[in-house]
Amino acid sequence: MIKRAVNVSQSNFLSLFRLAGKRTTALFFVMLATACTPAPEPSSFSSKALSFEPCRLPPLSMEIQCTRLDVPQSRVPKDRAHPDQGTLSLHVARLPANTQHPEADPLVLLARGPGQAASALAPFAAALVETRRHRDILLIDQRGTGRSSPLRCAALDEKSDALSDTVLTDIAPKVGQCLDQLTAQSVNPLDYGTSAFVEDIEAVRDALKLSRINLWGGSYGTRVALEYLRRYPQHVRTLTLDGVMAPSVRITLNAWRSRDAQLNTLLQRCEASESCRTLQPSPAAALDTLLARLTAPGLRVTFNDSRTGNTETWRLDSDMLLSALQPLLYSPDTTALLPQVLTAALNNDFAPLLALTQSFSSTLEGQMNPALYYAITCAEDVPRVSGEERATLQTDLPHVGALAAQSFAACERWPAATLPDDWGAPIVNDNVPVLLLSGAFDPVTPPAYAAETAQTLAKHRLITASGVGHITSAQACAPQLLAAFVKSADLSTLSQTCIEHLENNAPPLLWSNPLMPAP
């Protein structure tokens, strides 16, 4: 009999991108989402029973359980039953329920990105104490990430380039080199798309002999969850979408649009604040002044590395400054610091900005796979953006248009995926209850995406957390709300007190004073 672990650790779920010293890394990490189609017959790959063994997933101190499942490498669904197409190995982790008799339908967590491994969500999973009273939690590393046959290319290795006193070249050549390196390894990047991962999830479900599963998806994980619902609705008991990526979203375009809008919202919020307006009468003009000062080739910036205490000298230009600002928009707590950060930068003190950005480094390192990010966005999203939309990037997105253009240029050589005919169409479902969570200050998956997605889901509940940024499930009472929903599969029994708390929670005040926030 498999031993069940009972100890639980607490950890904060939120982790963002790493500037870590190079534009390549910055541009990647700020990109930071059926009834109609017959389901393929289960293949022999998923017919064997899986055997879990004790394992560890850092940084958890507790022992959990892990297993592996070999699945066909081919991206073509009809070929998945043929072993001669080659295989790859999926890593599946299980955080056992704290009971000897768990419910038969576990909660499956689908990670963000694209490119984050689900194993990186282990601290979040361990913190879902109420859910684990009754159910196992499964973490399936998406193919190409984590421990599931990760894609490897030295060109996008975040440790391969240190930001020195030279301005780095655009990211496009590095992405092209990555494609060449994958090809040299006989790796077809089109085998690593969303549809392939959906089939992998189904293979794991079948191998574990589960009739139904509960799905939680965060950001890009919501795209995966919705596509699984489209293909296999009969196997979904509940669906929770957090930071919803509507099927119509093209990550490479929409993420930059929403970030630019959120940056403008912050500048307007600062201008509407008396104390912030005293600090900077026109925050937008102050940012423009700073960007003009950093026009290429930029400035040499000397500061103390907050992680090592060493003095570092970098060359900072306007694109890198905007890249550094992006992750700070993901949480209202860090957004609140931006008035002081920008004011310091205007006085040629860039240490606060760089220290804030670097504070995300330790949590993100090793969690994201940049090759998988491009394997999905270049193949699935960029081909769905028209030439006319790309031509207007600079005028439509005055602050981040140049960064957006670079992300499109990076995909020029990447092959386009052959997507199902219904790709991007709304998911229509009348039976599965769906909980949709959004943060009012989310800069990448704004609440409008959740509202759009909910229109064709008959059983749904929309909740917008007013003082939250990207990802709500770890905030305040949200873990208990998630547990109650998964337990009952009934949206009508959700705690109204918790919902009102989330919907009425005010964002933190802006730090327009160096000593304290002020209205």
Side-chain angles (χ1 to χ4, degrees):
M1 178 179 294
I2 296 174
K3 181 174 68 173
R4 294 191 163 272
V6 295
N7 51 322
V8 177
S9 66
Q10 299 284 342
S11 177
N12 182 24
F13 169 59
L14 182 64
S15 66
L16 293 169
F17 93 107
R18 172 181 184 173
L19 181 63
K22 63 179 184 299
R23 176 185 294 161
T24 301
T25 304
L27 284 174
F28 157 57
F29 283 119
V30 299
M31 292 298 299
L32 337 123
T34 145
C36 301
T37 302
E41 290 298 320
S43 71
S44 59
F45 282 88
S46 60
S47 62
K48 66 177 183 179
L50 293 182
S51 176
F52 283 87
E53 300 291 340
C55 67
R56 299 277 182 177
L57 276 185
L60 292 188
S61 59
M62 60 189 285
E63 182 181 273
I64 61 171
Q65 300 162 1
C66 297
T67 190
R68 305 199 72 88
L69 177 66
D70 289 339
V71 294
Q73 184 165 338
S74 173
R75 69 183 180 89
V76 183
K78 65 184 178 64
D79 286 344
R80 293 178 61 84
H82 300 287
D84 59 344
Q85 295 294 320
T87 64
L88 54 80
S89 178
L90 297 178
H91 180 267
V92 183
R94 177 167 68 186
L95 280 73
N98 293 324
T99 175
Q100 291 297 319
H101 304 287
E103 298 292 339
D105 38 48
L107 175 63
V108 180
L109 303 185
L110 303 175
R112 301 180 298 159
Q116 186 182 40
S119 54
L121 303 184
F124 170 57
L128 297 178
V129 179
E130 291 299 321
T131 299
R132 291 186 58 224
R133 289 185 187 278
H134 308 283
R135 280 179 173 78
D136 296 342
I137 296 180
L138 298 182
L139 305 173
I140 308 171
D141 279 357
Q142 182 171 1
R143 55 166 60 201
T145 73
R147 306 182 185 190
S148 290
S149 304
L151 292 177
R152 302 186 187 280
C153 60
L156 293 178
D157 182 356
E158 64 191 65
K159 297 180 180 179
S160 62
D161 295 308
L163 182 64
S164 60
D165 58 356
T166 58
V167 177
L168 293 167
T169 57
D170 291 342
I171 194 173
K174 297 180 181 295
V175 177
Q177 292 169 20
C178 176
L179 180 61
D180 293 337
Q181 291 165 359
L182 293 176
T183 302
Q185 300 169 36
S186 299
V187 172
N188 182 356
L190 295 180
D191 287 339
Y192 291 82
T194 301
S195 294
F197 185 39
V198 166
E199 296 305 318
D200 291 341
I201 297 169
E202 174 60 10
V204 171
R205 183 208 62 78
D206 183 62
L208 292 176
K209 310 302 179 187
L210 303 172
S211 176
R212 293 190 299 174
I213 55 178
N214 301 278
L215 288 174
W216 178 96
S219 195
Y220 166 74
T222 66
R223 171 183 286 185
V224 179
L226 285 166
E227 287 304 315
Y228 186 89
L229 178 65
R230 191 199 301 273
R231 310 299 168 193
Y232 299 100
Q234 72 276 20
H235 294 314
V236 182
R237 177 176 173 268
T238 67
L239 181 61
T240 302
L241 306 173
D242 192 346
V244 185
M245 186 178 293
S248 63
V249 166
R250 288 81 48 88
I251 298 173
T252 316
L253 176 65
N254 294 83
W256 290 113
R257 283 178 171 173
S258 56
R259 286 197 199 95
D260 193 71
Q262 190 61 35
L263 179 58
N264 288 332
T265 297
L266 169 65
L267 296 174
Q268 293 167 9
R269 182 182 167 206
C270 184
E271 191 163 354
S273 163
E274 181 178 355
S275 60
C276 195
R277 193 168 56 251
T278 301
L279 182 69
Q280 290 295 340
S282 176
L287 178 59
D288 289 341
T289 298
L290 183 58
L291 292 174
R293 188 185 302 169
L294 292 173
T295 300
L299 298 175
R300 289 172 61 90
V301 175
T302 300
F303 70 103
N304 290 327
D305 190 318
S306 59
R307 298 166 300 174
T308 66
N310 297 331
T311 300
E312 301 282 349
T313 299
W314 293 357
R315 185 173 290 279
L316 192 67
D317 66 15
S318 56
D319 283 353
M320 294 172 68
L321 172 70
L322 287 168
S323 294
L325 291 176
Q326 301 304 306
L328 305 185
L329 299 174
Y330 278 59
S331 168
D333 290 331
T334 51
T335 299
L337 301 174
L338 285 182
Q340 279 295 320
V341 167
L342 290 177
T343 299
L346 281 168
N347 294 321
N348 292 320
D349 180 8
F350 294 91
L353 171 63
L354 298 176
L356 269 177
T357 303
Q358 286 184 327
S359 68
F360 299 111
S361 301
S362 59
T363 53
L364 187 66
E365 187 172 359
Q367 291 188 15
M368 304 291 287
N369 187 297
L372 192 279
Y373 170 82
Y374 288 106
I376 289 177
T377 57
C378 290
E380 298 178 2
D381 293 274
V382 169
R384 294 188 291 139
V385 178
S386 69
E388 182 178 352
E389 288 174 309
R390 292 181 58 175
T392 59
L393 285 174
Q394 301 282 1
T395 54
D396 292 347
L397 308 175
H399 286 121
V400 298
L403 296 178
Q406 289 183 49
S407 65
F408 277 97
C411 293
E412 288 294 343
R413 292 181 50 208
W414 210 276
T418 301
L419 300 172
D421 291 340
D422 56 0
W423 191 267
I427 282 79
V428 179
N429 189 279
D430 296 331
N431 301 312
V432 176
V434 183
L435 176 63
L436 303 99
L437 303 173
S438 298
F441 290 89
D442 190 335
V444 65
T445 51
Y449 294 171
E452 176 186 334
T453 303
Q455 291 179 4
T456 52
L457 301 172
K459 297 181 178 179
H460 74 266
R461 180 67 188 265
L462 279 166
I463 298 175
T464 299
S466 61
V468 174
H470 191 53
I471 303 299
T472 301
S473 293
Q475 303 293 325
C477 60
Q480 289 73 40
L481 196 72
L482 171 61
F485 173 53
V486 174
K487 181 179 180 179
S488 68
D490 186 350
L491 293 165
S492 67
T493 62
L494 297 181
S495 168
Q496 189 60 34
T497 300
C498 178
I499 293 173
E500 290 176 357
H501 174 76
L502 292 173
E503 292 182 337
N504 298 315
N505 186 32
L509 295 173
L510 296 174
W511 281 75
S512 50
N513 183 298
L515 300 178
M516 67 184 70

